[in-house]
Amino acid sequence: MGVLNVTPDSFSDGGRYLDVKAAVEHGVEMFELGADIVDVGGESTRPGADRVAAATEIERVLPVVAELVAAGVPVSVDTTRAEVAAATAAAGAAVINDVSGGLADPDMARVAADTGLPWVLMHWRGHSKDMGSLASYGDVVADVRAELLAQVDAALRAGVREDAIVLDPGLGFAKTGEHDWALLHRLGEFVALGFPVLVGASRKRFLGGLLAGADGEPRPAAGRETATAAVSALAADRGAWAVRVHDVRSSLDAVAVAAAWNAGGTVG
Ligand SMILES: Nc1nc2ncc(COP(=O)(O)O)nc2c(=O)[nH]1
């Protein structure tokens, strides 16, 4: 899943694709590199980000979604708003990627049920402004798993088909770096639930912390591609359905290595 943030303030690529033409070109480029889906987002979810109005979000993503769909590129829409999901679904979006897992907008479940589109339910505890204070868990893996299953139950009660649900542990969302590593360490417990699992680690802060210099300064976002690709290989090895990444080529290469490693060659 290639990331296409049509926002001025996303943490690692904000402002680069605000122009529709540049955004569509980048989306087509990621698809041609091998991305299965291009994830179009119009509202930054980085910690502390201000919310944008629904009209602004739609204004940003709709033309990009429509042109990518017209170019034959499968698109997911990264939104917590039902009206944005409905508008982009009508324009041909193939997946609803909802970082709030249905918690931010009570109408999202109905849109997912009505459109029948695959719906990514990511673990979330609140909008970017409040996230820092929400990162308290007993056993983070058990807690995230339980909270995600509650979101699944709500989706099923709203008429969403079980085979339309994708789970995502929500790395970096109301989580510390320690929580992120615990969730990756026990990713198998999410895969074992039987739903496809999406992992979004690309360029995130917990990778910067791992790669911090001698001075303790976290590695900047641009320097986290190798670590992101390593996560992609390991996530693939552990059975993840997809990884959401900014740099498509390095993760496709990493996942190809994991597949070849597990296939063991032809000689046996
Ligand atoms: N399903 C899913 N969607 C997401 N959207 C945005 C971000 C934040 O990263 P960005 O600002 O680089 O897009 N992370 C996720 C994620 O981990 N999972």
Side-chain angles (χ1 to χ4, degrees):
M1 181 183 276
V3 177
L4 184 54
N5 286 321
V6 190
T7 59
D9 57 345
S10 287
F11 83 93
S12 76
D13 57 358
R16 287 179 58 184
Y17 307 112
L18 259 183
D19 164 65
V20 172
K21 185 169 177 299
V24 172
E25 280 171 3
H26 186 55
V28 169
E29 179 194 17
M30 289 192 285
F31 180 62
E32 288 176 348
L33 278 170
D36 297 293
I37 303 173
V38 171
D39 188 43
V40 182
E43 179 178 39
S44 172
T45 55
R46 85 186 192 307
D50 291 323
R51 300 231 53 200
V52 300
T56 306
E57 196 182 342
I58 288 179
E59 199 178 288
R60 287 175 178 172
V61 300
L62 202 52
V64 175
V65 169
E67 288 201 34
L68 285 174
V69 168
V73 178
V75 169
S76 55
V77 58
D78 189 341
T79 186
T80 61
R81 290 191 167 109
E83 66 182 290
V84 177
T88 48
V95 177
I96 299 170
N97 177 26
D98 176 3
V99 297
S100 79
L103 297 180
D105 187 332
D107 289 337
M108 184 65 93
R110 179 183 48 74
V111 171
D114 291 352
T115 59
L117 291 185
W119 182 17
V120 177
L121 301 181
M122 195 189 82
H123 178 262
W124 187 81
R125 280 189 167 178
H127 283 291
S128 301
K129 278 277 187 230
D130 324 319
M131 262 199 304
S133 59
L134 298 165
S136 60
Y137 300 88
D139 169 349
V140 61
V141 176
D143 293 351
V144 167
R145 188 177 175 282
E147 290 170 32
L148 268 180
L149 286 175
Q151 292 167 248
V152 168
D153 285 347
L156 297 175
R157 280 198 304 276
V160 174
R161 293 202 335 266
E162 200 164 40
D163 64 5
I165 290 173
V166 176
L167 299 184
D168 182 327
L171 300 177
F173 287 83
K175 311 256 185 355
T176 63
E178 291 306 301
H179 293 145
D180 292 329
W181 288 117
L183 289 163
L184 288 176
H185 178 64
R186 292 164 58 186
L187 190 70
E189 295 182 35
F190 293 96
V191 174
L193 293 173
F195 296 98
V197 174
L198 173 63
V199 172
S202 188
R203 299 182 182 169
K204 284 189 177 174
R205 185 188 308 222
F206 76 102
L207 297 177
L210 174 74
L211 304 172
D215 58 0
E217 274 304 299
R219 177 79 63 80
R224 302 171 189 166
E225 288 309 356
T226 305
T228 298
V231 170
S232 295
L234 290 166
D237 181 58
R238 265 83 171 161
W241 167 74
V243 287
R244 180 181 176 279
V245 295
H246 300 82
D247 184 82
V248 169
R249 186 185 191 93
S250 54
S251 281
L252 278 168
D253 291 356
V255 169
V257 167
W261 181 302
N262 287 328
T266 54
V267 297

